[in-house]
Amino acid sequence: MVHSQETRTSDAIISIAEELASDDSGSESEAYIEKLYELSEDPVLLNSASEKEISRLFFLSDFQVKALADYVHSSGRIVSVYELMNIPGFDKETTEMIIPFLSLEVYRGTKPDTTNSTRLRSTSLTNFSFKSPSDTTKFLGSQWKILSKYKFTAGNISGGVTVEKDPGEAFISGYPPQPDFVSANLAYKGHGIVRRLVVGDFSARFGQGTNINTGIRTGLSLTSPGYMSASDEIKPYTSTDENNFFRGVAGDLSLKNLELFMYYSNHNSDASLGSLSDSNKEIIESFYSTGLHNTSSSLQKKDAYSEIVYGVTTSYNFKVVRIGFAWSGDRLSLPVVPPANDPEKLHAFKGYRKDQFSGYYSCMIKKILIYGELTGTENNQYAFVNGLSFRPSDRMTINALYRNYDQGYSAPHGRGPGIRSATGNEEGVLANVIFEAAKHLFISAGADVHYFPWLKYRCSSPSSGRKQEVRIRYLPAEKLTTEIVYQYRLAVYDESESSGIPEQRQLVTNNIKGSVRYDFSGNLTMATRIDFKLVDPSESTGVLLSQDVIYKLRQVPVTLWFRYCLFHTDDWDSRLYAYENDLLYSFSIPALSGKGSRCYIMGKWEISDNVEMRVKYGITSLIEHNTSVNREEIKFQVKIFF
């Protein structure tokens, strides 16, 4: 039993995607949504009763993962997803959030009870996207964005190829001639000693991610506790971030309660190069992570240096305690030499090599989960994370997380829990509570207080900040969902207009949004949303009002998504974000600023059991100097199943 992810995306999932986008974490949003699509196409086998399999639902807490596994062990096969609401730690809200990513396939022994499980199955997906550009003269190629993915599975063997061209890039370039980005992998997934083997491009994450984590970072949401759970995994890389992944070979070996991960990667990455003033020796001045190579200058940064990464991670599961140790080494072909006249880079990484060592644990005693991780480098720079999760009752969960990253700590491929996308120069405490206050009424509240002991982007002195959130959801009927969210943010930035030593200003934003979603029938859903944002001290405001309609035709296999949105913000600080349904393996969370409207319509046509087509047209109309300016986009996708 598999449910379509895009037609039943929960408000909690949408909210987290918008939060990532509003934190200027575009790559995080992309990785997050990519992971959701992966789950929808390869749903979790709930009846496997395997904690490792169930933990692929990365938005669940360790409590919920263990409760699900124990329930299947003790009660047998789950025949309806709505049984989950009877499991301790689950409610209607959580159940509906995970439904799109579950399979109730019968699971016997070491593999699902399916016929022709070794038969070759293939999927081909191609996207074409175009946005009306403001200037095309400086770009090397067309404004079309092209993404093509091919994936196959045959029993325990799988593989895939990803090809992408960003807007403005030449489709074929370099020597030998090839698309701007090509990624491929071949993988084996077993149930014996060898659990996973990947050759080609892969991603990895261990523990809390302070050492190695090329996926999304943990601790993302103030009101979603599952993101603070630790996990160890290597998996084939299928995303389009052109730098933050590994290229080589990786393996996962398991013997009873002992697990061992080993990996080796040799990968070319982007950077801005320079030379030392007293010689012609090339150096890396800064890393280039956007992946865009649409101008002559940006093309010069492509594959500017090579990087070798290797490491070993081992973990052991006791009855109530899991401990793990990780070591990783990073070797660069060119030395990193940050600008000497930039105080922000005083503690930045310098040199050719970096080694990191980690120890992590998680301990569950009855209704209390304690977990943590300590990572250090050869230069005595440390990252420390420790957290606690407590369930005083089935209706309440309390979580707390402390992290402390030295200002000189940096992990080339690590991203631990925190406010910033980089792991380093941060100390903070996050706490939240999730409570089922009454039947159908769910209240979540959280806060994060953080301090930056050294300079950071847009802030030339040590600074601090604060985030708070309260979320109330009321689900009086199966077809009706109502939600109201209040968010508070305080951040410190340099005053851009000041001369000399920059003055500091506190930017305080208060945001309240409410939404109502109703499923009128099996084929018609409507959703209304209103946002209001106030920014101090400028007193800038932003307002957004949107109406969504999702309609599934009864006579033909066509689904339509439509949105009409009006917005009015005084400036960029009061911008608002609104998640949009999009093509598979694409995401759209536009930043709406100024005065205007945003409208889109998308259709999905299931031409046959083997072919699916999608088309999306969107238009943003802005009023600028009493003149209407339209920015259009069109997207087209074909997906073929073999």
Side-chain angles (χ1 to χ4, degrees):
M1 181 180 181
V2 182
H3 297 257
S4 173
Q5 183 264 333
E6 74 253 357
T7 57
R8 299 194 60 173
T9 305
S10 78
D11 292 333
I13 284 174
I14 289 173
S15 178
I16 292 169
E18 291 177 350
E19 183 175 344
L20 286 171
S22 65
D23 286 339
D24 296 324
S25 304
S27 60
E28 294 285 353
S29 299
E30 183 175 5
Y32 171 72
I33 294 172
E34 180 101 8
K35 199 162 185 177
L36 293 176
Y37 278 124
E38 287 178 1
L39 281 176
S40 65
E41 292 201 337
D42 182 20
V44 170
L45 298 173
L46 196 59
N47 286 311
S48 68
S50 165
E51 290 187 29
K52 190 173 184 65
E53 171 70 8
I54 296 172
S55 66
R56 291 203 295 126
L57 296 167
F58 59 97
F59 32 71
L60 294 185
S61 68
D62 286 345
F63 280 120
Q64 292 166 322
V65 170
K66 185 171 179 58
L68 272 176
D70 290 345
Y71 180 84
V72 177
H73 274 300
S74 60
S75 303
R77 177 190 173 192
I78 296 176
V79 297
S80 170
V81 290
Y82 295 103
E83 284 185 53
L84 301 180
M85 288 186 283
N86 299 319
I87 300 175
F90 284 81
D91 48 42
K92 181 180 178 182
E93 179 185 27
T94 307
T95 300
E96 291 188 345
M97 181 172 68
I98 67 176
I99 280 177
F101 314 109
L102 298 181
S103 171
L104 300 185
E105 208 169 53
V106 179
Y107 194 91
R108 296 192 178 99
T110 61
K111 63 181 181 180
D113 183 20
T114 59
T115 58
N116 299 321
S117 60
T118 60
R119 181 175 66 86
L120 177 65
R121 296 176 174 86
S122 300
T123 302
S124 173
L125 178 147
T126 302
N127 292 354
F128 297 91
S129 305
F130 176 83
K131 292 183 179 181
S132 52
S134 56
D135 180 16
T136 61
T137 57
K138 62 180 181 179
F139 297 126
L140 301 175
S142 74
Q143 282 299 300
W144 283 94
K145 178 176 182 178
I146 302 173
L147 170 67
S148 185
K149 289 176 177 279
Y150 171 75
K151 179 182 178 181
F152 75 88
T153 59
N156 294 330
I157 304 297
S158 65
V161 178
T162 299
V163 176
E164 186 202 43
K165 181 197 89 70
D166 289 310
E169 294 178 342
F171 184 69
I172 300 294
S173 63
Y175 184 82
Q178 60 181 338
D180 180 76
F181 178 69
V182 180
S183 173
N185 64 77
L186 183 66
Y188 167 82
K189 184 177 182 181
H191 301 276
I193 294 179
V194 180
R195 294 295 181 92
R196 174 87 77 169
L197 181 66
V198 183
V199 178
D201 296 345
F202 64 94
S203 62
R205 173 188 164 181
F206 307 110
Q208 293 294 326
T210 59
N211 189 331
I212 292 292
N213 179 15
T214 58
I216 57 176
R217 70 184 187 272
T218 52
L220 299 178
S221 175
L222 293 179
T223 53
S224 296
Y227 294 93
M228 293 183 288
S229 301
S231 65
D232 296 337
E233 67 173 6
I234 57 169
K235 65 176 186 176
Y237 183 74
T238 60
S239 189
T240 54
D241 186 321
E242 300 183 21
N243 296 281
N244 192 34
F245 67 94
F246 298 130
R247 177 166 288 173
V249 60
D252 174 8
L253 308 178
S254 179
L255 182 62
K256 293 185 178 180
N257 294 326
L258 178 67
E259 195 163 16
L260 177 68
F261 296 87
M262 296 178 289
Y263 54 94
Y264 175 87
S265 169
N266 190 339
H267 179 216
N268 294 332
S269 296
D270 298 351
S272 295
L273 302 184
S275 59
L276 295 174
S277 57
D278 56 350
S279 70
N280 293 324
K281 185 177 181 180
E282 279 193 316
I283 61 170
I284 299 173
E285 293 184 335
S286 63
F287 297 103
Y288 181 68
S289 59
T290 68
L292 286 174
H293 309 111
N294 52 8
T295 62
S296 298
S297 59
S298 62
L299 189 60
Q300 292 177 356
K301 302 174 184 178
K302 180 176 173 60
D303 297 337
Y305 72 100
S306 64
E307 178 186 30
I308 295 176
V309 181
Y310 45 84
V312 177
T313 298
T314 183
S315 65
Y316 191 87
N317 273 318
F318 298 93
K319 284 188 177 181
V320 295
V321 178
R322 181 168 71 95
I323 60 172
F325 299 94
W327 166 72
S328 67
D330 198 294
R331 305 292 183 263
L332 307 179
S333 61
L334 297 174
V336 178
V337 181
N341 58 353
D342 186 353
E344 183 185 335
K345 304 296 183 182
L346 179 64
H347 299 286
F349 167 69
K350 306 176 183 67
Y352 285 96
R353 56 179 292 165
K354 195 174 186 67
D355 290 279
Q356 299 181 126
F357 307 86
S358 299
Y360 57 93
Y361 78 98
S362 63
C363 177
M364 186 176 293
I365 304 174
K366 294 183 178 180
K367 295 186 175 182
I368 300 177
L369 170 68
I370 305 173
Y371 57 92
E373 179 168 284
L374 175 65
T375 300
T377 71
E378 70 273 18
N379 297 325
N380 296 320
Q381 299 161 337
Y382 295 96
F384 176 67
V385 175
N386 209 69
L388 176 145
S389 185
F390 175 48
R391 291 190 65 85
S393 72
D394 290 341
R395 290 191 170 193
M396 177 180 288
T397 302
I398 299 172
N399 305 281
L401 175 71
Y402 171 76
R403 73 271 185 190
N404 190 342
Y405 306 135
D406 288 348
Q407 56 263 45
Y409 180 84
S410 64
H413 296 283
R415 290 187 289 183
I419 296 299
R420 306 173 66 218
S421 58
T423 299
N425 185 35
E426 181 181 333
E427 181 179 5
V429 177
L430 179 149
N432 62 34
V433 58
I434 294 91
F435 180 48
E436 185 179 355
K439 188 176 181 180
H440 309 307
L441 179 63
F442 304 91
I443 300 176
S444 306
D448 188 285
V449 180
H450 43 274
Y451 172 68
F452 306 110
W454 190 244
L455 319 185
K456 65 180 182 68
Y457 176 64
R458 295 181 61 193
C459 195
S460 57
S461 67
S463 59
S464 61
R466 193 163 70 248
K467 300 172 68 175
Q468 298 169 1
E469 182 176 306
V470 178
R471 183 182 303 271
I472 301 174
R473 300 193 73 211
Y474 182 53
L475 293 76
E478 183 178 346
K479 296 183 177 182
L480 177 63
T481 300
T482 61
E483 180 179 74
I484 186 167
V485 182
Y486 169 73
Q487 295 173 324
Y488 171 90
R489 303 286 187 270
L490 183 150
V492 176
Y493 298 105
D494 287 345
E495 186 65 60
S496 58
E497 289 80 13
S498 61
S499 58
I501 298 176
E503 296 181 5
Q504 304 283 291
R505 67 161 179 161
Q506 285 190 345
L507 186 69
V508 177
T509 62
N510 292 272
N511 188 17
I512 186 167
K513 55 184 176 183
S515 63
V516 178
R517 180 187 296 266
Y518 188 79
D519 185 0
F520 286 90
S521 59
N523 66 324
L524 176 63
T525 300
M526 300 187 70
T528 303
R529 168 176 165 177
I530 185 170
D531 289 36
F532 176 77
K533 189 173 186 178
L534 174 64
V535 182
D536 287 329
S538 65
E539 296 187 353
S540 168
T541 61
V543 179
L544 178 149
L545 177 64
S546 72
Q547 179 64 51
D548 285 81
V549 178
I550 304 174
Y551 183 66
K552 187 173 184 178
L553 279 67
R554 296 185 183 274
Q555 303 300 321
V556 292
V558 173
T559 303
L560 299 174
W561 291 262
F562 172 78
R563 169 177 293 174
Y564 184 70
C565 172
L566 295 171
F567 59 91
H568 187 175
T569 74
D570 292 334
D571 53 32
W572 179 249
D573 287 339
S574 56
R575 65 193 181 277
L576 294 161
Y577 292 83
Y579 172 92
E580 295 181 358
N581 286 288
D582 209 280
L583 308 182
L584 295 175
Y585 291 97
S586 295
F587 81 103
S588 181
I589 310 175
L592 303 175
S593 177
K595 181 180 180 181
S597 65
R598 168 69 181 171
C599 176
Y600 76 85
I601 183 169
M602 184 175 75
K604 178 182 72 171
W605 179 21
E606 299 174 26
I607 300 173
S608 68
D609 292 339
N610 303 100
V611 181
E612 176 184 303
M613 184 179 69
R614 296 177 184 229
V615 178
K616 180 179 179 180
Y617 172 77
I619 181 170
T620 303
S621 299
L622 292 171
I623 305 299
E624 298 179 352
H625 308 293
N626 296 321
T627 302
S628 179
V629 178
N630 295 327
R631 298 173 183 171
E632 299 177 287
E633 65 175 354
I634 185 167
K635 299 182 178 182
F636 175 76
Q637 179 182 80
V638 175
K639 185 176 182 181
I640 303 174
F641 309 87
F642 300 94

